Amino acid sequence: MQRDFDPLIVGRVVGDVLDNFSPTVRLMVTFNSNKLVLNGRELFPSWLTHKPRIEILGGDMRTFFTLVMVDPDVPNPSDPYLREHLHWMVTDVPGTTDATFGREVVNYEVPSPNIGIHRYVFVIYKQRRRFVEMPRQPERDCFNTRLFAEENGLGAPVAAVFFNAQRETAARRRLT
């Protein structure tokens, strides 16, 4: 597949949140056991009230990962001056299990876009070793994924996936 048609590039995740990278593992994110996150797929906020299940395919028992979930479109996509908003961070995720087995640094915050269509990005970094000391508690607003990775020696991402969500009206809720 040509990188020009990569959904992370087309969706401006590469550029707004990440630099270009080559995935080395596969990331599967599922909400409510049946709502799989596919790049660019729209999910309704009512489906997102509980932490998703995160599976890292291609890791091993000796490898640990850091998961970051951000919204780069806060407060709205046409003027994202709070870019990026941190929704969730988990470190020390074993390479063969779900993220619930890692160390939650920032609790999961339910996506609740008010204006426009927001992108929600999950990024996985391979850790060089387990974090002996937790990364300092990051601020949710004006978070910077690139800077966080650099400050913590994480290098380039090894996988990423994103979905879109917008405010859910009663009429839209009846369609699901």
Side-chain angles (χ1 to χ4, degrees):
M1 180 160 117
Q2 254 185 322
R3 286 296 286 176
D4 293 346
F5 298 108
D6 184 322
L8 295 172
I9 293 172
V10 173
R12 296 183 342 268
V13 170
V14 169
D16 288 350
V17 179
L18 306 170
D19 293 326
N20 209 350
F21 70 98
S22 295
T24 57
V25 297
R26 188 161 171 241
L27 172 61
M28 290 185 57
V29 180
T30 310
F31 284 93
N32 297 332
S33 75
N34 64 352
K35 305 292 191 246
L36 181 64
V37 172
L38 301 172
N39 283 318
R41 179 181 184 188
E42 182 175 4
L43 298 179
F44 292 103
S46 61
W47 298 347
L48 313 172
T49 57
H50 300 289
K51 290 179 204 175
R53 177 174 170 75
I54 305 293
E55 293 178 79
I56 301 167
L57 307 172
D60 60 51
M61 291 187 71
R62 296 178 313 259
T63 308
F64 292 92
F65 296 91
T66 293
L67 166 75
V68 175
M69 177 189 177
V70 295
D71 175 354
D73 300 315
V74 175
N76 73 69
S78 61
D79 185 19
Y81 63 86
L82 295 176
R83 174 178 291 165
E84 303 156 25
H85 183 80
L86 179 62
H87 277 268
W88 195 25
M89 182 184 291
V90 184
T91 64
D92 297 332
V93 178
T96 57
T97 60
D98 184 15
T100 55
F101 291 95
R103 210 181 294 181
E104 197 170 53
V105 176
V106 175
N107 295 337
Y108 176 73
E109 180 180 271
V110 176
S112 56
N114 286 320
I115 300 169
I117 299 171
H118 289 239
R119 297 166 293 165
Y120 293 89
V121 182
F122 293 91
V123 183
I124 293 288
Y125 292 95
K126 183 178 178 180
Q127 295 175 201
R128 288 180 171 75
R129 62 190 168 284
R130 290 185 83 159
F131 281 110
V132 176
E133 187 176 306
M134 296 300 294
R136 65 175 169 75
Q137 184 69 27
E139 296 291 323
R140 286 193 186 263
D141 284 332
C142 300
F143 181 76
N144 186 311
T145 302
R146 287 180 183 104
L147 184 59
F148 172 80
E150 183 181 315
E151 288 175 347
N152 290 283
L154 296 173
V158 294
V161 66
F162 79 102
F163 68 91
N164 295 320
Q166 60 184 310
R167 188 172 180 193
E168 196 169 352
T169 64
R172 291 187 81 227
R173 232 184 328 268
R174 284 194 296 272
L175 297 174
T176 60

